[in-house]
Every structure is written in C-alpha cells, then in structure tokens.
Amino acid sequence: MSAGKLRLPGLSRSDALELGEFVDRGAIAFHHEPVPEGSFGDLGVVTAVVAVSAIALKGMVSYLAYRHRGKSFEQVYEIEHPDGRIERRTVMWRDTSSEPINSALAQELASATGIPWDKMVGDEN
C-alpha cells in the first residue's frame, strides 16, 4: 500500500506544537479544523498532515510514544492516498502488551505506508 500523507486529526494547538518538535517542520503542515455548526468561538483544533518518509514517520512514532507515555491508548489517524482518497484507521496499544510501544506503532504505520517498520525505530529496539 502506498500513502502520500498521514494525517492526525483533532489535535489541540499545544499537541500540534509538540508534534513539530518530533517531526521536521518541512514535512508537516497544520490545517485548522472548522468550528462545528452551532458552536461558538475558536476551539483551536487542528489536523496535522505529515508527508510520508522514513524520517518523518520515525518522528511520528516518537511523538505518539511520548504523547501517550506508555499508557493504553487508541489513536485515530488518516491515510491520504495520492489519488485523494482518505482512509481512516485507529492504532491501539495496551500497556499490558509485551511488544514495545515504538515497535507496535512502527509496525502499524509501516502497514499503512509501505515503509519498512525497522526504519522507523532505529536503534531504539
């Protein structure tokens, strides 16, 4: 499977800034999500769009591991295919898993992008 971009929807502005510390800013774009109808004010919710590369995905794995700090979680992400289709997926990890969080996340993103998962974890295994 080949993906053009990975998207993380529903991030707060502070989460988006934090993601920018892990992923090269040249590989990431942020899109402000519209305020839902009937709501007032700026909710400050953004979607991060990450250009797929081994280096960018390695940063994304590190960010997700840091963000969830070894606690059980479910994270929604989207695959933006080159033809414009957007596929929504959820990665899940349980703190009772015997598999390290970085490896589990890398394997999930590898299955979505076709980039070998070992390139996303580097020397951390």
PDB file of all heavy atoms in Angstrom, residues 33-65:
ATOM      1  N   GLU A  33      -9.204  22.998  11.842  1.00  0.00           N
ATOM      2  CA  GLU A  33     -10.497  22.369  11.582  1.00  0.00           C
ATOM      3  C   GLU A  33     -11.595  23.399  11.816  1.00  0.00           C
ATOM      4  O   GLU A  33     -11.495  24.235  12.724  1.00  0.00           O
ATOM      5  CB  GLU A  33     -10.688  21.160  12.498  1.00  0.00           C
ATOM      6  CG  GLU A  33      -9.697  20.044  12.198  1.00  0.00           C
ATOM      7  CD  GLU A  33      -9.888  18.813  13.072  1.00  0.00           C
ATOM      8  OE1 GLU A  33     -10.930  18.695  13.760  1.00  0.00           O
ATOM      9  OE2 GLU A  33      -8.986  17.969  13.064  1.00  0.00           O
ATOM     10  N   PRO A  34     -12.643  23.348  10.999  1.00  0.00           N
ATOM     11  CA  PRO A  34     -13.727  24.319  11.176  1.00  0.00           C
ATOM     12  C   PRO A  34     -14.469  24.095  12.496  1.00  0.00           C
ATOM     13  O   PRO A  34     -14.557  22.978  12.992  1.00  0.00           O
ATOM     14  CB  PRO A  34     -14.648  24.051   9.985  1.00  0.00           C
ATOM     15  CG  PRO A  34     -14.314  22.680   9.526  1.00  0.00           C
ATOM     16  CD  PRO A  34     -12.893  22.416   9.920  1.00  0.00           C
ATOM     17  N   VAL A  35     -14.974  25.190  13.043  1.00  0.00           N
ATOM     18  CA  VAL A  35     -15.767  25.098  14.260  1.00  0.00           C
ATOM     19  C   VAL A  35     -17.090  24.434  13.898  1.00  0.00           C
ATOM     20  O   VAL A  35     -17.742  24.825  12.919  1.00  0.00           O
ATOM     21  CB  VAL A  35     -16.013  26.514  14.847  1.00  0.00           C
ATOM     22  CG1 VAL A  35     -16.930  26.451  16.053  1.00  0.00           C
ATOM     23  CG2 VAL A  35     -14.690  27.165  15.199  1.00  0.00           C
ATOM     24  N   PRO A  36     -17.493  23.381  14.634  1.00  0.00           N
ATOM     25  CA  PRO A  36     -18.753  22.698  14.311  1.00  0.00           C
ATOM     26  C   PRO A  36     -19.938  23.653  14.350  1.00  0.00           C
ATOM     27  O   PRO A  36     -19.976  24.578  15.169  1.00  0.00           O
ATOM     28  CB  PRO A  36     -18.885  21.644  15.417  1.00  0.00           C
ATOM     29  CG  PRO A  36     -17.503  21.465  15.953  1.00  0.00           C
ATOM     30  CD  PRO A  36     -16.816  22.792  15.782  1.00  0.00           C
ATOM     31  N   GLU A  37     -20.890  23.409  13.456  1.00  0.00           N
ATOM     32  CA  GLU A  37     -22.081  24.244  13.385  1.00  0.00           C
ATOM     33  C   GLU A  37     -22.791  24.245  14.729  1.00  0.00           C
ATOM     34  O   GLU A  37     -22.930  23.215  15.376  1.00  0.00           O
ATOM     35  CB  GLU A  37     -23.020  23.708  12.302  1.00  0.00           C
ATOM     36  CG  GLU A  37     -24.115  24.677  11.948  1.00  0.00           C
ATOM     37  CD  GLU A  37     -24.889  24.237  10.719  1.00  0.00           C
ATOM     38  OE1 GLU A  37     -24.233  23.850   9.732  1.00  0.00           O
ATOM     39  OE2 GLU A  37     -26.120  24.285  10.776  1.00  0.00           O
ATOM     40  N   GLY A  38     -23.218  25.416  15.148  1.00  0.00           N
ATOM     41  CA  GLY A  38     -23.908  25.538  16.427  1.00  0.00           C
ATOM     42  C   GLY A  38     -22.957  25.819  17.585  1.00  0.00           C
ATOM     43  O   GLY A  38     -23.390  26.064  18.693  1.00  0.00           O
ATOM     44  N   SER A  39     -21.641  25.751  17.334  1.00  0.00           N
ATOM     45  CA  SER A  39     -20.652  26.048  18.371  1.00  0.00           C
ATOM     46  C   SER A  39     -20.176  27.484  18.193  1.00  0.00           C
ATOM     47  O   SER A  39     -20.262  28.048  17.114  1.00  0.00           O
ATOM     48  CB  SER A  39     -19.457  25.105  18.262  1.00  0.00           C
ATOM     49  OG  SER A  39     -19.865  23.783  18.467  1.00  0.00           O
ATOM     50  N   PHE A  40     -19.650  28.016  19.259  1.00  0.00           N
ATOM     51  CA  PHE A  40     -19.153  29.381  19.209  1.00  0.00           C
ATOM     52  C   PHE A  40     -17.687  29.411  19.582  1.00  0.00           C
ATOM     53  O   PHE A  40     -17.218  28.601  20.372  1.00  0.00           O
ATOM     54  CB  PHE A  40     -19.939  30.278  20.174  1.00  0.00           C
ATOM     55  CG  PHE A  40     -21.375  30.395  19.799  1.00  0.00           C
ATOM     56  CD1 PHE A  40     -22.322  29.605  20.405  1.00  0.00           C
ATOM     57  CD2 PHE A  40     -21.774  31.279  18.819  1.00  0.00           C
ATOM     58  CE1 PHE A  40     -23.656  29.701  20.056  1.00  0.00           C
ATOM     59  CE2 PHE A  40     -23.103  31.381  18.448  1.00  0.00           C
ATOM     60  CZ  PHE A  40     -24.046  30.591  19.071  1.00  0.00           C
ATOM     61  N   GLY A  41     -16.975  30.332  18.991  1.00  0.00           N
ATOM     62  CA  GLY A  41     -15.584  30.534  19.357  1.00  0.00           C
ATOM     63  C   GLY A  41     -14.632  29.620  18.614  1.00  0.00           C
ATOM     64  O   GLY A  41     -15.014  28.773  17.820  1.00  0.00           O
ATOM     65  N   ASP A  42     -13.370  29.819  18.901  1.00  0.00           N
ATOM     66  CA  ASP A  42     -12.297  29.045  18.279  1.00  0.00           C
ATOM     67  C   ASP A  42     -11.950  27.884  19.185  1.00  0.00           C
ATOM     68  O   ASP A  42     -11.474  28.075  20.301  1.00  0.00           O
ATOM     69  CB  ASP A  42     -11.083  29.959  18.069  1.00  0.00           C
ATOM     70  CG  ASP A  42      -9.909  29.228  17.448  1.00  0.00           C
ATOM     71  OD1 ASP A  42     -10.117  28.147  16.872  1.00  0.00           O
ATOM     72  OD2 ASP A  42      -8.790  29.736  17.560  1.00  0.00           O
ATOM     73  N   LEU A  43     -12.193  26.684  18.718  1.00  0.00           N
ATOM     74  CA  LEU A  43     -11.885  25.510  19.515  1.00  0.00           C
ATOM     75  C   LEU A  43     -10.401  25.164  19.445  1.00  0.00           C
ATOM     76  O   LEU A  43      -9.915  24.350  20.217  1.00  0.00           O
ATOM     77  CB  LEU A  43     -12.723  24.310  19.049  1.00  0.00           C
ATOM     78  CG  LEU A  43     -14.233  24.491  19.156  1.00  0.00           C
ATOM     79  CD1 LEU A  43     -14.942  23.254  18.649  1.00  0.00           C
ATOM     80  CD2 LEU A  43     -14.621  24.782  20.583  1.00  0.00           C
ATOM     81  N   GLY A  44      -9.679  25.770  18.496  1.00  0.00           N
ATOM     82  CA  GLY A  44      -8.247  25.539  18.407  1.00  0.00           C
ATOM     83  C   GLY A  44      -7.862  24.145  18.008  1.00  0.00           C
ATOM     84  O   GLY A  44      -6.814  23.659  18.391  1.00  0.00           O
ATOM     85  N   VAL A  45      -8.702  23.454  17.243  1.00  0.00           N
ATOM     86  CA  VAL A  45      -8.419  22.079  16.844  1.00  0.00           C
ATOM     87  C   VAL A  45      -7.795  22.089  15.452  1.00  0.00           C
ATOM     88  O   VAL A  45      -8.253  22.789  14.550  1.00  0.00           O
ATOM     89  CB  VAL A  45      -9.704  21.223  16.861  1.00  0.00           C
ATOM     90  CG1 VAL A  45      -9.438  19.806  16.412  1.00  0.00           C
ATOM     91  CG2 VAL A  45     -10.307  21.224  18.259  1.00  0.00           C
ATOM     92  N   VAL A  46      -6.721  21.312  15.289  1.00  0.00           N
ATOM     93  CA  VAL A  46      -6.029  21.249  14.009  1.00  0.00           C
ATOM     94  C   VAL A  46      -5.830  19.804  13.583  1.00  0.00           C
ATOM     95  O   VAL A  46      -5.876  18.879  14.393  1.00  0.00           O
ATOM     96  CB  VAL A  46      -4.648  21.947  14.061  1.00  0.00           C
ATOM     97  CG1 VAL A  46      -4.782  23.415  14.396  1.00  0.00           C
ATOM     98  CG2 VAL A  46      -3.722  21.274  15.044  1.00  0.00           C
ATOM     99  N   THR A  47      -5.627  19.624  12.282  1.00  0.00           N
ATOM    100  CA  THR A  47      -5.217  18.348  11.715  1.00  0.00           C
ATOM    101  C   THR A  47      -3.783  18.518  11.248  1.00  0.00           C
ATOM    102  O   THR A  47      -3.477  19.448  10.516  1.00  0.00           O
ATOM    103  CB  THR A  47      -6.103  17.946  10.521  1.00  0.00           C
ATOM    104  OG1 THR A  47      -7.434  17.707  10.997  1.00  0.00           O
ATOM    105  CG2 THR A  47      -5.589  16.687   9.838  1.00  0.00           C
ATOM    106  N   ALA A  48      -2.915  17.627  11.707  1.00  0.00           N
ATOM    107  CA  ALA A  48      -1.530  17.630  11.249  1.00  0.00           C
ATOM    108  C   ALA A  48      -1.438  16.717  10.043  1.00  0.00           C
ATOM    109  O   ALA A  48      -1.967  15.600  10.055  1.00  0.00           O
ATOM    110  CB  ALA A  48      -0.604  17.125  12.350  1.00  0.00           C
ATOM    111  N   VAL A  49      -0.791  17.185   8.980  1.00  0.00           N
ATOM    112  CA  VAL A  49      -0.603  16.396   7.766  1.00  0.00           C
ATOM    113  C   VAL A  49       0.899  16.198   7.588  1.00  0.00           C
ATOM    114  O   VAL A  49       1.644  17.164   7.457  1.00  0.00           O
ATOM    115  CB  VAL A  49      -1.207  17.109   6.535  1.00  0.00           C
ATOM    116  CG1 VAL A  49      -1.033  16.251   5.291  1.00  0.00           C
ATOM    117  CG2 VAL A  49      -2.682  17.435   6.773  1.00  0.00           C
ATOM    118  N   VAL A  50       1.321  14.927   7.625  1.00  0.00           N
ATOM    119  CA  VAL A  50       2.742  14.591   7.577  1.00  0.00           C
ATOM    120  C   VAL A  50       3.058  13.910   6.252  1.00  0.00           C
ATOM    121  O   VAL A  50       2.437  12.901   5.902  1.00  0.00           O
ATOM    122  CB  VAL A  50       3.121  13.657   8.750  1.00  0.00           C
ATOM    123  CG1 VAL A  50       4.592  13.269   8.683  1.00  0.00           C
ATOM    124  CG2 VAL A  50       2.787  14.315  10.080  1.00  0.00           C
ATOM    125  N   ALA A  51       4.019  14.466   5.514  1.00  0.00           N
ATOM    126  CA  ALA A  51       4.480  13.846   4.275  1.00  0.00           C
ATOM    127  C   ALA A  51       5.201  12.556   4.640  1.00  0.00           C
ATOM    128  O   ALA A  51       6.023  12.524   5.557  1.00  0.00           O
ATOM    129  CB  ALA A  51       5.421  14.788   3.527  1.00  0.00           C
ATOM    130  N   VAL A  52       4.872  11.480   3.947  1.00  0.00           N
ATOM    131  CA  VAL A  52       5.405  10.166   4.287  1.00  0.00           C
ATOM    132  C   VAL A  52       6.860  10.039   3.859  1.00  0.00           C
ATOM    133  O   VAL A  52       7.192  10.195   2.689  1.00  0.00           O
ATOM    134  CB  VAL A  52       4.546   9.048   3.648  1.00  0.00           C
ATOM    135  CG1 VAL A  52       5.192   7.692   3.843  1.00  0.00           C
ATOM    136  CG2 VAL A  52       3.151   9.058   4.248  1.00  0.00           C
ATOM    137  N   SER A  53       7.719   9.788   4.852  1.00  0.00           N
ATOM    138  CA  SER A  53       9.115   9.431   4.647  1.00  0.00           C
ATOM    139  C   SER A  53       9.540   8.666   5.896  1.00  0.00           C
ATOM    140  O   SER A  53       8.896   8.786   6.950  1.00  0.00           O
ATOM    141  CB  SER A  53      10.000  10.663   4.465  1.00  0.00           C
ATOM    142  OG  SER A  53      10.178  11.335   5.686  1.00  0.00           O
ATOM    143  N   ALA A  54      10.600   7.890   5.804  1.00  0.00           N
ATOM    144  CA  ALA A  54      11.056   7.121   6.966  1.00  0.00           C
ATOM    145  C   ALA A  54      11.406   8.048   8.128  1.00  0.00           C
ATOM    146  O   ALA A  54      11.049   7.778   9.279  1.00  0.00           O
ATOM    147  CB  ALA A  54      12.250   6.246   6.591  1.00  0.00           C
ATOM    148  N   ILE A  55      12.060   9.170   7.839  1.00  0.00           N
ATOM    149  CA  ILE A  55      12.467  10.100   8.902  1.00  0.00           C
ATOM    150  C   ILE A  55      11.254  10.746   9.557  1.00  0.00           C
ATOM    151  O   ILE A  55      11.167  10.830  10.782  1.00  0.00           O
ATOM    152  CB  ILE A  55      13.431  11.165   8.346  1.00  0.00           C
ATOM    153  CG1 ILE A  55      14.748  10.497   7.943  1.00  0.00           C
ATOM    154  CG2 ILE A  55      13.665  12.278   9.350  1.00  0.00           C
ATOM    155  CD1 ILE A  55      15.698  11.391   7.199  1.00  0.00           C
ATOM    156  N   ALA A  56      10.284  11.191   8.749  1.00  0.00           N
ATOM    157  CA  ALA A  56       9.082  11.820   9.306  1.00  0.00           C
ATOM    158  C   ALA A  56       8.285  10.818  10.138  1.00  0.00           C
ATOM    159  O   ALA A  56       7.782  11.153  11.206  1.00  0.00           O
ATOM    160  CB  ALA A  56       8.217  12.392   8.193  1.00  0.00           C
ATOM    161  N   LEU A  57       8.184   9.578   9.662  1.00  0.00           N
ATOM    162  CA  LEU A  57       7.420   8.569  10.401  1.00  0.00           C
ATOM    163  C   LEU A  57       8.136   8.165  11.686  1.00  0.00           C
ATOM    164  O   LEU A  57       7.496   7.875  12.688  1.00  0.00           O
ATOM    165  CB  LEU A  57       7.140   7.359   9.523  1.00  0.00           C
ATOM    166  CG  LEU A  57       6.183   7.641   8.354  1.00  0.00           C
ATOM    167  CD1 LEU A  57       5.981   6.388   7.523  1.00  0.00           C
ATOM    168  CD2 LEU A  57       4.850   8.181   8.837  1.00  0.00           C
ATOM    169  N   LYS A  58       9.464   8.160  11.666  1.00  0.00           N
ATOM    170  CA  LYS A  58      10.216   7.884  12.891  1.00  0.00           C
ATOM    171  C   LYS A  58       9.887   8.952  13.931  1.00  0.00           C
ATOM    172  O   LYS A  58       9.675   8.643  15.102  1.00  0.00           O
ATOM    173  CB  LYS A  58      11.716   7.854  12.595  1.00  0.00           C
ATOM    174  CG  LYS A  58      12.553   7.492  13.797  1.00  0.00           C
ATOM    175  CD  LYS A  58      14.018   7.351  13.419  1.00  0.00           C
ATOM    176  CE  LYS A  58      14.833   6.933  14.622  1.00  0.00           C
ATOM    177  NZ  LYS A  58      16.221   6.660  14.294  1.00  0.00           N
ATOM    178  N   GLY A  59       9.814  10.212  13.508  1.00  0.00           N
ATOM    179  CA  GLY A  59       9.428  11.291  14.414  1.00  0.00           C
ATOM    180  C   GLY A  59       8.007  11.132  14.916  1.00  0.00           C
ATOM    181  O   GLY A  59       7.712  11.382  16.086  1.00  0.00           O
ATOM    182  N   MET A  60       7.115  10.686  14.034  1.00  0.00           N
ATOM    183  CA  MET A  60       5.720  10.481  14.420  1.00  0.00           C
ATOM    184  C   MET A  60       5.597   9.361  15.454  1.00  0.00           C
ATOM    185  O   MET A  60       4.838   9.479  16.418  1.00  0.00           O
ATOM    186  CB  MET A  60       4.888  10.174  13.180  1.00  0.00           C
ATOM    187  CG  MET A  60       3.440  10.448  13.337  1.00  0.00           C
ATOM    188  SD  MET A  60       2.697  10.532  11.692  1.00  0.00           S
ATOM    189  CE  MET A  60       1.021  10.223  12.130  1.00  0.00           C
ATOM    190  N   VAL A  61       6.351   8.284  15.265  1.00  0.00           N
ATOM    191  CA  VAL A  61       6.361   7.184  16.239  1.00  0.00           C
ATOM    192  C   VAL A  61       6.840   7.711  17.589  1.00  0.00           C
ATOM    193  O   VAL A  61       6.234   7.439  18.634  1.00  0.00           O
ATOM    194  CB  VAL A  61       7.253   6.012  15.750  1.00  0.00           C
ATOM    195  CG1 VAL A  61       7.550   5.044  16.881  1.00  0.00           C
ATOM    196  CG2 VAL A  61       6.585   5.287  14.596  1.00  0.00           C
ATOM    197  N   SER A  62       7.925   8.474  17.586  1.00  0.00           N
ATOM    198  CA  SER A  62       8.458   9.034  18.837  1.00  0.00           C
ATOM    199  C   SER A  62       7.445   9.959  19.504  1.00  0.00           C
ATOM    200  O   SER A  62       7.257   9.921  20.725  1.00  0.00           O
ATOM    201  CB  SER A  62       9.752   9.805  18.563  1.00  0.00           C
ATOM    202  OG  SER A  62      10.748   8.934  18.103  1.00  0.00           O
ATOM    203  N   TYR A  63       6.775  10.789  18.693  1.00  0.00           N
ATOM    204  CA  TYR A  63       5.762  11.700  19.231  1.00  0.00           C
ATOM    205  C   TYR A  63       4.618  10.928  19.885  1.00  0.00           C
ATOM    206  O   TYR A  63       4.212  11.230  21.010  1.00  0.00           O
ATOM    207  CB  TYR A  63       5.214  12.612  18.133  1.00  0.00           C
ATOM    208  CG  TYR A  63       3.939  13.304  18.528  1.00  0.00           C
ATOM    209  CD1 TYR A  63       3.956  14.368  19.433  1.00  0.00           C
ATOM    210  CD2 TYR A  63       2.708  12.883  18.037  1.00  0.00           C
ATOM    211  CE1 TYR A  63       2.787  14.995  19.825  1.00  0.00           C
ATOM    212  CE2 TYR A  63       1.538  13.509  18.422  1.00  0.00           C
ATOM    213  CZ  TYR A  63       1.579  14.560  19.320  1.00  0.00           C
ATOM    214  OH  TYR A  63       0.404  15.157  19.716  1.00  0.00           O
ATOM    215  N   LEU A  64       4.079   9.925  19.194  1.00  0.00           N
ATOM    216  CA  LEU A  64       2.953   9.167  19.738  1.00  0.00           C
ATOM    217  C   LEU A  64       3.353   8.415  21.010  1.00  0.00           C
ATOM    218  O   LEU A  64       2.587   8.358  21.973  1.00  0.00           O
ATOM    219  CB  LEU A  64       2.399   8.206  18.689  1.00  0.00           C
ATOM    220  CG  LEU A  64       1.668   8.872  17.522  1.00  0.00           C
ATOM    221  CD1 LEU A  64       1.353   7.852  16.438  1.00  0.00           C
ATOM    222  CD2 LEU A  64       0.400   9.569  18.003  1.00  0.00           C
ATOM    223  N   ALA A  65       4.554   7.844  21.024  1.00  0.00           N
ATOM    224  CA  ALA A  65       5.028   7.148  22.226  1.00  0.00           C
ATOM    225  C   ALA A  65       5.166   8.137  23.384  1.00  0.00           C
ATOM    226  O   ALA A  65       4.765   7.845  24.514  1.00  0.00           O
ATOM    227  CB  ALA A  65       6.356   6.457  21.936  1.00  0.00           C
TER     228      ALA A  65
END
